[in-house]
Amino acid sequence: MFHHKLTASALALSLSLVAPQLAAAQDYTPDPNAVDGGGIIVTYKDDVATLDPAIGYDWQNWSMIKSLFDGLMDYIPGTTDLRPGLAESYEISEDGMTFTFKLRQGVKFHNGREMTAEDVKYSLDRVTNPETMSPGAGFFGMIAGYDAMADGSADSLSGVTVIDPYTVEIKLSRPDATFLHVMALNFSSVVPKEAVDEYGADFGKHPVGTGAFKLADWTIGQKLVFEKNADYWRDGVPYLDSITFEVGQEPIVALLRLQQGEVDVPGDGIPPAKFQEVMSDPAQAERVVVGGQLHTGYITLNVTMPPFDNVEVRRAVNMAINKERITQIINGRAEPATQPLPPSMPGYTTDYEGYAFDPEAAKAMLAEAGLGDGFATELYVMNTDPNPRIAQAIQQDLKAIGVDVAIKSLAQANVIEAGGTEGGAPMIWSGGMAWIADFPDPSNFYGPILGCAGAIEGGWNWSWYCNPELDAMAAEADSITDPAMIEARLQKWSDVYMKVMEDAPWVPVFNESRYTMKSERMGGDDALYVDPVSIPVNYDYVYVTE
Amino acid sequence: MLAYLIRRLVQTALILVGVSFVTFLLLYVLPADPVRQIAGRSATAQTVENIRHQLGLDQPFIVQYANYFSGLVQGDFGRSYLQKTEVGALIASRLPATLLLMLGAIFCELLIGLTLGSIAAIKRGKWIDQLLMVFSFAAVSAPQFVVGLLALYIFAVKLGWFPIGGYGTFAHLVLPSLTLGIMGSGWYSRMMRSSMVDVLRADFIRTARAKGLTRWRVLGRHALPNAILPIIAMIGIDIGLFMSGIVVVESVFGWPGIGQLAWQAIQRVDIPIIMGVTMVSATAIVLGNLLADLITPFIDPRIKLR
């Protein structure tokens, strides 16, 4: 579990507004026991799709890209606290609309060339260029000139200006408190133009960055080898000489190999079928690191489909679900949830209890809504374990208040399709597709999954809940960029989610914990193994003891 | 013979065109949108539409198919949506592993199937015959996922004879070949048994016995070769059977072949890869069948190709 205070802009808060924001001298204390050298083996079931930071967007390549590339901003290892990355410092203008980043000097790409402000501009132009087909392009909507890039009428962001080789200025078109988090996303990684030009569409197979590791070998379908970047600009790291990612390994096979000492980290985690066996063996359980993650599993109630258009019905369903029992189905690998935000997210409302489990009250509420005899509906669910079992528990809970639920167990892509089709799915259990934050800020849990922007054909707001009043509140909260006002901003977000709970388009069910298993020889702070941004492991800071 | 060959090749080409059209159509009507898989959850509607447009997925079905087909006839399988690389290169890099696994499986199924089938035929009606036929039934019906994991657990984890999955050395090949071949060995032992039983009843075996040859010489020199020949022609047809098996076996053993590639692509609606693997396997299957038909007259001169 992470116990540190997860204040989104703690760094910014501690410093004054217009003075250069310098890196805290000791933002992270390196492990005094860390030793250099050695290599680790990490396994995955699926192939690595791409290592292009503008395109890679799954939880497997996310942390790999983090180790190959850097952006202007970064996070303190094992935390959700921002720190400067390739930027040495930055200044924010009085109105919060202009950010001036001073770059570190002498940072070299893996090809040996020095990184400059031109590269920063090129990289932001590239990720927002429609031809790049970046899934993350939309994150950059606050940068001036984004719209012209998106509609193809410009080939460069007008808001990004190179002042000198080590200074870049970014102007926003609207104040946005999440901007620095966006600059820490993989999509903002700085890439060298000449390497992108050389490999073209295959840059993702030949990544060149400034990161702690560089790609040494990639045998498609078998393995990738990262080797240490000896010229890395952060002193002392990485500790490991190499990381080998072996792909095509079933999680259960990976676990067997870990038990034989052949694997250091099974990237897909402990398979559910083996979870109890591992945790009940003290020798194995002590090598499992448990942490929170920015995740919420929920049931969406489609507010456009009767009877879920009636708020009373949605509240009744909220009261009918036994969340405690559902967490038991997944061996207690989660905490029951009361609200959309996970507890470790800034803006979480600590004194809110949520809808208590009370089938009798739920029944009474249904009767009040004129549905005393219950009704029949459908629950869409992804067809991989444990989701169908969770769906059955939901089915039983709702049966108890007279609601007949038919379970539609489908492949992930089909559930996503049904959710994004108006009138497609009355209820969806989010398991396997649930929201995990892109960055540790409360706004990231609203727009695409609860806001009007997501309630469109092909969107991810599967309850089709659209409350313009809340959209306005959300926009207002994000326009508060003054670090001194951070508490006011978080309060506003807290209010937004409390209003959401009143309207009850979701049943928040649980917040999943993360369980990372490692080999005996792996060292480093536990927090590195449940790093909230580098999943599963922060490769730059872990080490091996033999 | 030449006319037959040309006619069959034309048929083969037509079958492949049909397969490409039907598969493409099925993937098109599938209620799952590949663009949303590519764009991920945080993409704005604008980003989704942009990606759809860039990939040409906003065009009518027939235009999309025509584009795909014209690439295909030039040997271009297109680019993977999610792996962002040439499908042709992905398949080419994985095909040798699959072919190696198939060879291993053919070896295993023949070795096991022919041996057990012969023994059963010689001991026809005895308890050992019945036992072997029960085995062959079990081998045909056993789910490969279970057989694979069981073999892995016993021979790799508990006994440590073989590596736990992976690819590279001969030792890596043994368990996956065995798992993939065991199903075929069930079929082959049954076919071998009946073929051998027929041969053992034949006149020339009686003649061989009558002229005083030893039992082993009769079996080894006269019965076995004649019983095996008709079975060899079946190998071509096996390829179709293997194509479904490799998806499972390659996943269990971490074998970097095209079955694994197909399985990952299906889960993520990566249409160019699904199409590419389908076309390659369909080609292998129809060519395998063609080869089987062409070999038959050499084995059994009574059969003429027309």
Side-chain angles (χ1 to χ4, degrees):
Chain A
M1 295 286 171
F2 32 62
H3 294 294
H4 10 258
K5 208 160 181 276
L6 298 172
T7 318
S9 304
L11 188 66
L13 178 67
S14 63
L15 298 159
S16 75
L17 187 59
V18 282
Q21 318 269 308
L22 287 162
Q26 277 296 356
D27 57 16
Y28 183 72
T29 315
D31 190 333
N33 301 317
V35 279
D36 270 316
I40 58 167
I41 295 178
V42 182
T43 62
Y44 279 108
K45 181 166 153 296
D46 286 341
D47 265 336
V48 175
T50 173
L51 293 176
D52 185 335
I55 295 171
Y57 191 30
D58 55 56
W59 55 274
Q60 179 188 31
N61 59 23
W62 193 253
S63 60
M64 295 184 185
I65 289 171
K66 281 222 174 300
S67 284
L68 294 173
F69 294 90
D70 296 299
L72 294 176
M73 299 299 293
D74 184 15
Y75 292 95
I76 297 173
T79 77
T80 51
D81 301 332
L82 279 166
R83 68 170 174 181
L86 291 178
E88 195 173 51
S89 62
Y90 54 88
E91 280 176 34
I92 309 174
S93 69
E94 204 85 55
D95 60 359
M97 300 279 276
T98 307
F99 288 69
T100 311
F101 294 92
K102 269 267 174 251
L103 304 187
R104 284 173 210 275
Q105 302 197 8
V107 174
K108 292 220 164 69
F109 285 113
H110 298 151
N111 64 10
R113 185 175 68 73
E114 190 183 11
M115 185 266 321
T116 69
E118 288 292 345
D119 297 305
V120 176
K121 174 159 179 60
Y122 167 75
S123 304
L124 292 175
D125 284 346
R126 174 173 183 260
V127 73
T128 49
N129 187 327
E131 279 173 26
T132 309
M133 293 197 279
S134 171
F139 284 117
F140 299 89
M142 78 285 277
I143 297 182
Y146 171 81
D147 292 337
M149 281 301 276
D151 65 26
S153 61
D155 52 13
S156 178
L157 285 165
S158 62
V160 182
T161 317
V162 174
I163 307 285
D164 65 53
Y166 301 107
T167 313
V168 62
E169 179 195 87
I170 302 178
K171 275 194 161 51
L172 307 189
S173 57
R174 56 168 192 256
D176 192 320
T178 66
F179 176 68
L180 287 176
H181 282 297
V182 170
M183 287 296 107
L185 284 174
N186 281 356
F187 299 117
S188 308
S189 299
V190 179
V191 297
K193 180 175 191 298
E194 68 275 15
V196 176
D197 287 346
E198 181 182 350
Y199 296 110
D202 282 333
F203 180 68
K205 289 273 183 286
H206 303 272
V208 178
T210 55
F213 289 92
K214 50 189 171 186
L215 178 68
D217 179 46
W218 187 339
T219 313
I220 290 181
Q222 294 181 44
K223 62 173 184 183
L224 292 88
V225 181
F226 283 11
E227 73 183 22
K228 178 180 185 158
N229 173 9
D231 295 328
Y232 190 47
W233 54 271
R234 270 193 210 281
D235 289 335
V237 287
Y239 300 118
L240 296 171
D241 281 342
S242 71
I243 313 170
T244 304
F245 298 95
E246 297 190 357
V247 297
Q249 309 252 335
E250 280 288 322
I252 192 139
V253 176
L255 181 69
L256 290 173
R257 293 188 61 204
L258 179 97
Q259 290 164 346
Q260 302 279 312
E262 291 177 18
V263 161
D264 294 294
V265 177
D268 297 311
I270 307 165
K274 286 277 179 186
F275 184 75
Q276 238 142 18
E277 187 190 311
V278 168
M279 297 310 282
S280 59
D281 172 9
Q284 292 189 63
E286 71 170 19
R287 302 207 306 270
V288 177
V289 184
V290 187
Q293 60 180 339
L294 301 173
H295 162 281
T296 303
Y298 49 87
I299 306 164
T300 58
L301 307 172
N302 192 328
V303 302
T304 65
M305 293 174 79
F308 295 121
D309 55 347
N310 182 342
V311 66
E312 301 276 296
V313 175
R314 301 198 297 266
R315 288 178 188 153
V317 170
N318 260 283
M319 291 190 283
I321 304 295
N322 185 347
K323 299 167 183 176
E324 199 67 54
R325 185 167 70 131
I326 295 177
T327 62
Q328 281 160 17
I329 290 176
I330 56 166
N331 300 317
R333 298 166 88 159
E335 296 293 327
T338 58
Q339 55 193 294
L341 289 185
S344 42
M345 181 70 97
Y348 178 81
T349 314
T350 37
D351 52 4
Y352 175 68
E353 300 280 338
Y355 290 90
F357 174 55
D358 188 347
E360 286 313 312
K363 235 176 173 166
M365 198 171 263
L366 270 192
E368 234 169 83
L371 287 162
D373 299 332
F375 59 94
T377 185
E378 285 173 339
L379 173 66
Y380 282 68
V381 53
M382 192 175 144
N383 59 8
T384 53
D385 188 66
N387 299 309
R389 288 189 289 135
I390 291 174
Q392 281 166 6
I394 296 168
Q395 188 183 39
Q396 285 167 12
D397 286 343
L398 292 181
K399 182 90 204 162
I401 62 161
V403 178
D404 270 319
V405 177
I407 296 175
K408 293 265 199 180
S409 178
L410 302 168
Q412 185 189 47
N414 304 96
V415 179
I416 292 173
E417 189 71 17
T421 307
E422 190 163 11
M427 296 173 78
I428 300 177
W429 160 242
S430 74
M433 305 155 293
W435 198 255
I436 299 177
D438 295 298
F439 51 84
D441 187 273
S443 69
N444 193 240
F445 259 79
Y446 181 79
I449 45 177
L450 283 163
C452 295
I456 50 165
E457 206 66 29
W460 288 75
N461 182 344
W462 297 337
S463 20
W464 292 78
Y465 171 69
C466 172
N467 184 341
E469 203 181 308
L470 285 194
D471 263 24
M473 260 176 90
E476 207 180 309
D478 274 354
S479 68
I480 304 176
T481 56
D482 183 347
M485 298 283 287
I486 183 156
E487 291 307 327
R489 173 168 183 264
L490 293 180
Q491 186 53 51
K492 202 146 215 117
W493 270 117
S494 163
D495 294 347
V496 169
Y497 289 108
M498 288 303 103
K499 280 253 171 16
V500 167
M501 286 314 293
E502 231 167 80
D503 284 345
W506 280 16
V507 183
V509 177
F510 58 57
N511 304 111
E512 227 168 70
S513 309
R514 253 170 73 197
Y515 290 77
T516 307
M517 200 170 174
K518 54 176 180 157
S519 67
E520 221 159 320
R521 63 198 200 100
M522 289 206 69
D525 192 355
D526 272 358
L528 299 171
Y529 291 90
V530 284
D531 192 304
V533 276
S534 291
I535 298 171
V537 171
N538 189 323
Y539 300 118
D540 299 5
Y541 288 84
V542 297
Y543 57 91
V544 287
T545 49
E546 58 181 68
Chain B
M1 177 71 193
L2 189 66
Y4 173 82
L5 190 64
I6 291 169
R7 203 174 68 234
R8 280 299 300 269
L9 284 174
V10 171
Q11 276 174 4
T12 302
L14 286 177
I15 289 171
L16 290 179
V17 173
V19 168
S20 76
F21 182 81
V22 171
T23 315
F24 204 88
L25 181 67
L26 286 176
L27 290 172
Y28 182 81
V29 299
L30 197 73
D33 182 355
V35 177
R36 302 188 56 198
Q37 294 281 314
I38 303 163
R41 344 157 282 166
S42 287
T44 57
Q46 192 180 27
T47 306
V48 170
E49 281 327 300
N50 166 47
I51 293 175
R52 193 184 307 282
H53 178 69
Q54 300 276 345
L55 292 173
L57 292 174
D58 51 352
Q59 291 174 338
F61 168 76
I62 207 70
V63 177
Q64 286 186 40
Y65 177 71
N67 286 342
Y68 182 80
F69 189 77
S70 73
L72 197 62
V73 293
Q74 297 165 51
D76 179 6
F77 287 99
R79 284 184 78 86
S80 154
Y81 292 158
L82 291 160
Q83 301 211 32
K84 310 284 174 192
T85 189
E86 296 289 333
V87 172
L90 281 175
I91 292 178
S93 73
R94 283 169 167 272
L95 204 54
T98 294
L99 292 177
L100 183 66
L101 179 58
M102 283 194 180
L103 277 180
I106 289 172
F107 177 81
C108 286
E109 66 178 8
L110 288 180
L111 186 76
I112 300 171
L114 300 187
T115 312
L116 298 188
S118 309
I119 295 172
I122 296 163
K123 303 280 181 193
R124 187 152 74 102
K126 305 266 171 51
W127 65 269
I128 191 159
D129 174 26
Q130 281 158 0
L131 185 76
L132 289 175
M133 287 307 105
V134 170
F135 162 82
S136 79
F137 189 71
V140 169
S141 0
Q144 282 169 318
F145 190 78
V146 176
V147 173
L149 278 180
L150 218 59
L152 205 61
Y153 187 71
I154 296 171
F155 297 108
V157 177
K158 283 290 152 192
L159 299 173
W161 294 352
F162 301 102
I164 311 173
Y167 175 72
T169 68
F170 178 74
H172 286 101
L173 179 62
V174 177
L175 291 180
S177 305
L178 206 64
T179 308
L180 187 58
I182 202 117
M183 178 161 84
S185 77
W187 292 117
Y188 278 100
S189 63
R190 298 206 143 212
M191 283 189 296
M192 184 65 188
R193 180 179 176 277
S194 62
S195 171
M196 190 81 164
V197 165
D198 282 350
V199 170
L200 286 175
R201 281 201 199 116
D203 291 343
F204 67 91
I205 294 293
R206 201 168 354 131
T207 311
R209 279 208 185 126
K211 71 183 185 191
L213 294 183
T214 63
R215 180 180 164 77
W216 288 113
R217 199 159 167 81
V218 171
L219 288 175
R221 278 297 294 275
H222 298 271
L224 209 55
N226 283 294
I228 287 178
L229 274 180
I231 288 173
I232 295 297
M234 304 296 294
I235 296 174
I237 295 158
D238 274 359
I239 294 172
L241 208 63
F242 284 155
M243 280 298 169
S244 58
I246 54 168
V247 173
V248 173
V249 174
E250 289 184 352
S251 292
V252 172
F253 289 95
W255 193 263
I258 61 171
Q260 213 184 47
L261 184 68
W263 180 233
Q264 291 176 14
I266 289 166
Q267 288 173 317
R268 296 151 93 173
V269 209
D270 199 337
I271 291 174
I273 293 186
I274 304 176
M275 281 303 297
V277 175
T278 307
M279 291 317 295
V280 168
S281 2
T283 309
I285 292 168
V286 291
L287 288 182
N289 278 300
L290 179 61
L291 215 61
D293 288 351
L294 292 178
I295 289 176
T296 318
F298 294 99
I299 294 170
D300 188 343
R302 285 170 297 187
I303 297 171
K304 286 264 186 305
L305 296 179
R306 263 193 285 258

